[in-house]
Amino acid sequence: MIKKIPNGVYPTMITPFTDDNKIDYNAVEQILEWYASKKVDGIFAICQSSEIFALSFEERLELIDFIMKHRPEGVAIVASGHCADDLDRQAYEANKIIETGVDAYVFISNRFAKADESDDVLLKNMYYVIDKIPEIALGVYECPHPYKRLLSPYVLSKMAQDPKFQFIKDTCCSIPQLKEKLDTLKGSDLRIFNANAATLLQSLKDGAAGFSGIMANFYPEIIGEECRCFESDPDRAQKLQDFVGFCSAAEGQAYSCNAKYFLQMEGLDITTKSRLCDENRLDALNRISTEQLHGMVSLYRDMFKIG
């Protein structure tokens, strides 16, 4: 039976590294426990925040296997991980990751068509791969690397006809585009999880199912409270949105090194090393900014009694 994944907050899980550039599984377990303590609804594992394009397939598979063996109780795990251009290789990688027991498998939109190829090519190639994997809940991630392939209303309308599709990680960062997409999906099982913090509240009002983005590595519990209260307490939701959106400027400040530094302040035993972000970018100024963000998160937790 295909599982129904819940609405809510899905952090894009980061990958910690040891001083000698190996995956730090002690820190992976701590991150999972931290997410669970913040009452996230799910985790988007093996995504761009996980540095999948800098991990070998063997590392990606080993990582998701570890995550599934240490998954927090009651937390959905959705995962991507296919980085190949070849469609048969993508199917092979997807099958191996699905075998670990993930709740949903998330495709990367730019893996199915080149930038100059049509939506019909994307759909044809996507279903070529789907036909080679078992029945499972599916999603699509508009990953910005190596190029951002946004899903058009036309593609979404086709996907919405297939009940296996449940999860879209949307990266358009545009309220009008989001609304058009959400209107297209009304009445279907396919739901949009916004990756952009600044547009989150309006997207929730327009029908988005939740949030899946970078900033859930800093204050997932505050985002979660906004998702829960936006209808019942709009004034509270707006105050939370003002914080959530403004502080999302941290995305451009040496991510994911700054997220790892933030988690150090949360008490995790984790380095700030990354394979994609030069650790030197986490300079004195970015460290001070991250420290101040941590102070603001603590203040908002206390002010709004979020814990």
Side-chain angles (χ1 to χ4, degrees):
M1 179 182 291
I2 295 175
K3 294 180 181 178
K4 179 74 177 288
I5 63 169
N7 293 350
V9 177
Y10 287 68
T12 50
M13 187 170 183
I14 57 176
T15 299
F17 296 99
T18 62
D19 287 328
D20 59 352
N21 202 32
K22 294 182 172 61
I23 296 174
D24 183 348
Y25 284 102
N26 176 59
V28 171
E29 190 168 4
Q30 290 179 62
I31 293 169
L32 290 170
E33 292 169 354
W34 185 80
Y35 288 150
S37 75
K38 302 305 177 185
K39 298 179 173 59
V40 302
D41 303 280
I43 295 167
F44 185 9
I46 321 299
C47 58
Q48 187 173 352
S49 283
S50 312
E51 307 191 31
I52 57 172
F53 291 96
L55 300 176
S56 69
F57 176 67
E58 290 71 26
E59 287 176 314
R60 283 176 262 145
L61 187 58
E62 182 182 80
L63 178 56
I64 188 58
D65 186 58
F66 182 91
I67 290 168
M68 294 308 298
K69 287 175 179 173
H70 296 81
R71 65 183 299 175
E73 185 177 355
V75 176
I77 306 290
V78 306
S80 190
H82 62 290
C83 297
D85 292 318
D86 179 76
L87 296 176
D88 289 317
R89 178 65 190 186
Q90 288 185 46
Y92 170 81
E93 293 181 356
N95 273 303
K96 288 295 185 181
I97 289 171
I98 290 167
E99 286 172 8
T100 67
V102 296
D103 296 302
Y105 188 76
V106 183
F107 293 116
I108 296 173
S109 57
N110 63 42
R111 298 294 79 204
F112 292 133
K114 297 176 183 176
D116 60 351
E117 291 181 321
S118 71
D119 283 344
D120 287 318
V121 170
L122 183 152
L123 288 165
K124 177 185 175 184
N125 289 340
M126 182 167 66
Y127 272 97
Y128 177 87
V129 175
I130 288 172
D131 287 343
K132 294 178 180 295
I133 65 174
E135 290 278 305
I136 186 173
L138 298 174
V140 176
Y141 167 30
E142 295 175 338
C143 180
H145 182 82
Y147 85 97
K148 185 185 285 193
R149 178 84 184 211
L150 297 178
L151 299 173
S152 68
Y154 168 72
V155 170
L156 291 173
S157 69
K158 297 293 186 183
M159 293 170 58
Q161 297 171 28
D162 187 339
K164 291 193 295 292
F165 281 108
Q166 296 185 26
F167 181 97
I168 298 292
K169 183 180 185 301
D170 188 283
T171 65
C172 73
C173 308
S174 163
I175 288 171
Q177 287 185 55
L178 272 166
K179 188 172 189 314
E180 185 179 13
K181 291 179 176 184
L182 289 162
D183 287 345
T184 299
L185 297 179
K186 277 182 181 174
S188 75
D189 293 324
L190 185 53
R191 288 159 288 153
I192 285 179
F193 294 77
N194 192 354
N196 178 250
T199 59
L200 176 59
L201 182 56
Q202 187 58 52
S203 72
L204 293 171
K205 292 176 181 178
D206 290 335
F211 180 83
S212 182
I214 285 172
M215 298 315 297
N217 286 302
F218 296 87
Y219 40 79
E221 71 277 44
I222 296 175
I223 298 171
E225 176 63 13
E226 180 180 339
C227 290
R228 286 187 292 272
C229 78
F230 79 95
E231 290 181 309
S232 61
D233 194 340
D235 182 63
R236 178 180 176 87
Q238 184 61 62
K239 288 177 175 144
L240 293 172
Q241 175 60 47
D242 291 343
F243 172 83
V244 164
F246 179 76
C247 290
S248 67
E251 288 186 20
Q253 297 174 342
Y255 181 77
S256 64
C257 295
N258 63 342
K260 294 168 184 177
Y261 184 49
F262 185 98
L263 292 176
Q264 285 182 0
M265 288 182 276
E266 288 285 284
L268 277 66
D269 180 16
I270 182 174
T271 74
T272 58
K273 293 192 175 299
S274 165
R275 292 185 185 175
L276 292 179
C277 176
D278 182 352
E279 199 176 8
N280 291 324
R281 287 183 56 208
L282 190 66
D283 56 16
L285 180 58
N286 279 331
R287 285 177 180 269
I288 290 171
S289 296
T290 307
E291 291 162 10
Q292 291 170 353
L293 173 60
H294 188 262
M296 287 297 296
V297 169
S298 300
L299 177 63
Y300 259 68
R301 286 171 181 161
D302 293 341
M303 283 175 54
F304 288 88
K305 296 180 172 54
I306 302 169

